[in-house]
Amino acid sequence: MSKPYLSLSLDMDNQWSYMKIHGEEGWEKYPSYLDIFVPHVLQVLEELDLKITFFIVGQDAAFAKNHQYLRQIADAGHDIANHSFKHETWLHLYTKEEMKTEIDSAHDIIYEVTGKAPSGFRGPGFSWSGTLLEVLAEKGYKYDASTLPTVIGPLARLYYFSTSNLTKEEKEDRKEIFGKFSDGFKKLKPYFWKTNKNQQLLELPVTTMPVFRIPFHLSYLIYISNISSNLMMLYLNIAIFLCKITKTEPSFLLHPLDLIGGDQITSLAFFPGMNVSSERKVFIFKKVMKKLGKHFTLTDMNGHVDAIIDKKSLKTVQVPN
């Protein structure tokens, strides 16, 4: 009997986008670490023989200095998806025209640079709205992956605000980042959104631990590993067990800073978790992938989405107004 699927994706948040989200000065100069990170992550993935989905920010694709690195991702056989153009966590506030411009501009430049047309989207900071879903469906996208069904969203937001340099106005724009407590009760398994025009769009949520609805993607595992490696593996084993007994096929999320430390990206050494060396992070990643690979078939988002759609047994939810 074949193993259930687990999709792997990486949100390609660049140095400037981390600085922008945290209110750090100088983000407008768009400093980048793609020249360091991309060769690093591609080597790690090649060693593990893994193909994943990279959610790329359109603004990065618009800079010629990044083209060779983004093409390297596509040339290595990895899947490409859309992570917005401006990487603004208040995407849910956009009008429909603003949303169309945001999605179209990112889609077009990503396709032009990588040669691969995105068919999936994830909002920055898990930001989404009915307007976004309508625009994605009208554009013919296969899936959205912006929802994070967790009860700890408000706590994550509180920590984020406490470690940032944001003004009161900027915090107001970001007041829904990471979602509300009630988001923890949203569907954890994939489902179809149904738009007002009767179009369908698959929603593939970032998986949180079934029953408890707490995240277990790599950022959280690395944080726990700083307390105890054994505790991290216990946490992961519980998540795997709960996914298997509830027949939840995980969508497992990565970020650049999960795989590289302040030893290589010195300009972000002050960020949480960047005191962990790149070598240590890669060791944890490989250990986690080995464990997940024993229980699941590891694939990219497109492979997972195609397998889900083939089952033809998904529930449908009306897109909110």
Side-chain angles (χ1 to χ4, degrees), residues 45-320:
L45 293 173
E46 183 179 6
E47 290 171 0
L48 295 175
D49 193 25
L50 286 176
K51 301 299 181 189
I52 73 171
T53 296
F54 285 79
F55 282 88
I56 293 176
V57 178
Q59 182 66 77
D60 282 320
F63 292 123
K65 65 179 181 180
N66 296 325
H67 288 181
Q68 63 174 310
Y69 304 108
L70 299 181
R71 279 195 293 266
Q72 284 173 12
I73 295 170
D75 291 346
H78 295 287
D79 180 40
I80 302 295
N82 188 335
H83 196 37
S84 80
F85 190 88
K86 292 180 287 189
H87 199 274
E88 294 182 339
T89 54
W90 51 97
L91 191 74
H92 58 284
L93 301 178
Y94 282 22
T95 66
K96 187 164 186 178
E97 283 306 308
E98 289 171 334
M99 193 72 76
K100 281 176 62 65
T101 299
E102 181 76 4
I103 302 303
D104 288 347
S105 56
H107 178 98
D108 293 346
I109 191 64
I110 291 169
Y111 181 29
E112 179 183 331
V113 171
T114 67
K116 293 187 175 182
S119 61
F121 179 85
R122 179 176 290 136
F126 311 105
S127 179
W128 66 278
S129 66
T131 301
L132 167 67
L133 301 173
E134 295 273 359
V135 169
L136 293 176
E138 289 171 9
K139 193 168 180 63
Y141 269 41
K142 286 200 297 188
Y143 71 92
D144 174 70
S146 302
T147 58
L148 178 70
T150 182
V151 295
I152 71 164
L155 289 176
R157 182 166 56 251
L158 183 64
Y159 175 77
Y160 158 61
F161 282 168
S162 70
T163 58
S164 72
N165 295 317
L166 299 171
T167 65
K168 183 178 179 180
E169 292 75 18
E170 288 171 333
K171 288 180 179 179
E172 180 65 21
D173 282 339
R174 296 159 172 79
K175 66 181 180 181
E176 292 189 19
I177 188 174
F178 307 133
K180 305 181 286 293
F181 177 80
S182 60
D183 288 342
F185 302 96
K186 293 186 181 298
K187 293 181 183 299
L188 190 57
K189 294 182 181 180
Y191 53 93
F192 278 117
W193 289 111
K194 181 182 179 182
T195 72
N196 293 328
K197 295 182 180 179
N198 289 322
Q199 295 170 304
Q200 284 191 328
L201 178 73
L202 180 72
E203 181 65 35
L204 182 52
V206 175
T207 306
T208 55
M209 196 181 293
V211 181
F212 299 107
R213 298 301 185 96
I214 50 180
F216 67 96
H217 49 269
L218 194 59
S219 301
Y220 287 82
L221 296 178
I222 289 174
Y223 177 80
I224 296 170
S225 76
N226 286 330
I227 303 170
S228 164
S229 293
N230 290 334
L231 181 61
M232 179 196 77
M233 292 310 297
L234 174 62
Y235 189 87
L236 178 59
N237 284 331
I238 292 172
I240 291 171
F241 172 74
L242 291 173
C243 284
K244 294 187 77 172
I245 65 170
T246 59
K247 297 183 178 179
T248 301
E249 294 188 332
S251 171
F252 192 80
L253 175 61
L254 312 169
H255 288 96
L257 302 191
D258 295 338
L259 291 160
I260 199 164
D263 55 319
Q264 291 198 57
I265 303 177
T266 56
S267 54
L268 289 180
F270 62 92
F271 263 65
M274 291 300 278
N275 59 314
V276 182
S277 70
S278 301
E279 183 180 7
R280 173 68 178 165
K281 288 183 175 182
V282 169
F283 172 79
I284 293 170
F285 175 63
K286 289 183 175 180
K287 187 175 183 179
V288 170
M289 291 302 105
K290 184 178 180 181
K291 170 63 71 171
L292 292 174
K294 288 181 178 179
H295 299 275
F296 303 98
T297 298
L298 307 184
T299 186
D300 60 25
M301 296 289 283
N302 253 326
H304 195 180
V305 165
D306 288 343
I308 291 167
I309 292 174
D310 283 346
K311 293 179 180 178
K312 299 177 181 177
S313 59
L314 298 183
K315 295 183 178 179
T316 300
V317 177
Q318 184 67 37
V319 167

